[in-house]
């Protein structure tokens, strides 16, 4: 899958995603937006579920753009949360 097989697409929240010609689909829902999808599907539900924990270990299986990791760190900083994060993010595509 490399960068040459993906096209950059602007989503409705003004974040970018990629369209994979290999898989014939976008990496994120373009109507929701890449950042909003990351927040609403992954980050906020995880923090709600683990609200009492001070130390979070997160496994983010990556497919190229890092929005879940970025959104997690940004969410902690913007909300002034007292959390220690350990994020493991193996990447599927080394070219990205």
């Amino acid at each position: 899958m490399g960068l040459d097989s993906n096209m950059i697409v602007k989503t409705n929240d003004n974040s970018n995603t990629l369209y994979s010609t290999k898989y014939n689909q976008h990496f994120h829902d373009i109507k929701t937006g890449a950042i909003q999808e990351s927040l609403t599907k992954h980050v906020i539900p995880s923090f709600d579920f683990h609200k009492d924990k001070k130390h979070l270990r997160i496994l983010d299986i990556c497919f190229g753009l890092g929005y879940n990791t970025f959104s997690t760190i940004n969410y902690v900083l913007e909300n002034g949360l007292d959390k220690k994060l350990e994020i493991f993010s193996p990447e599927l595509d080394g070219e990205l």
Side-chain angles (χ1 to χ4, degrees):
M1 183 167 67
L3 279 175
D4 56 349
S5 65
N6 299 313
M7 298 175 289
I8 297 173
V9 177
K10 181 75 75 179
T11 68
N12 284 355
D13 70 356
N14 286 320
S15 58
N16 291 324
T17 191
L18 295 177
Y19 179 84
S20 170
T21 55
K22 179 177 181 177
Y23 297 109
N24 197 30
Q25 67 181 24
H26 294 94
F27 282 34
H28 301 91
D29 176 29
I30 59 173
K31 292 180 183 175
T32 302
I35 291 175
Q36 284 304 309
E37 179 179 320
S38 177
L39 286 170
T40 59
K41 288 185 177 180
H42 305 287
V43 177
I44 294 171
S46 296
F47 277 92
D48 287 347
F49 186 78
H50 296 291
K51 61 184 166 221
D52 296 328
K53 291 186 178 179
K54 294 288 186 188
H55 182 182
L56 298 175
R57 287 188 182 107
I58 299 167
L59 175 61
D60 182 15
I61 304 299
C62 296
F63 290 96
L65 299 177
Y67 278 114
N68 292 339
T69 297
F70 167 78
S71 295
T72 298
I73 295 167
N74 193 55
Y75 185 81
V76 167
L77 294 174
E78 280 190 347
N79 291 285
L81 301 179
D82 183 21
K83 304 279 187 191
K84 178 181 177 185
L85 301 175
E86 284 184 79
I87 301 173
F88 303 91
S89 56
E91 175 57 57
L92 175 67
D93 185 351
E95 292 182 41
L96 293 171

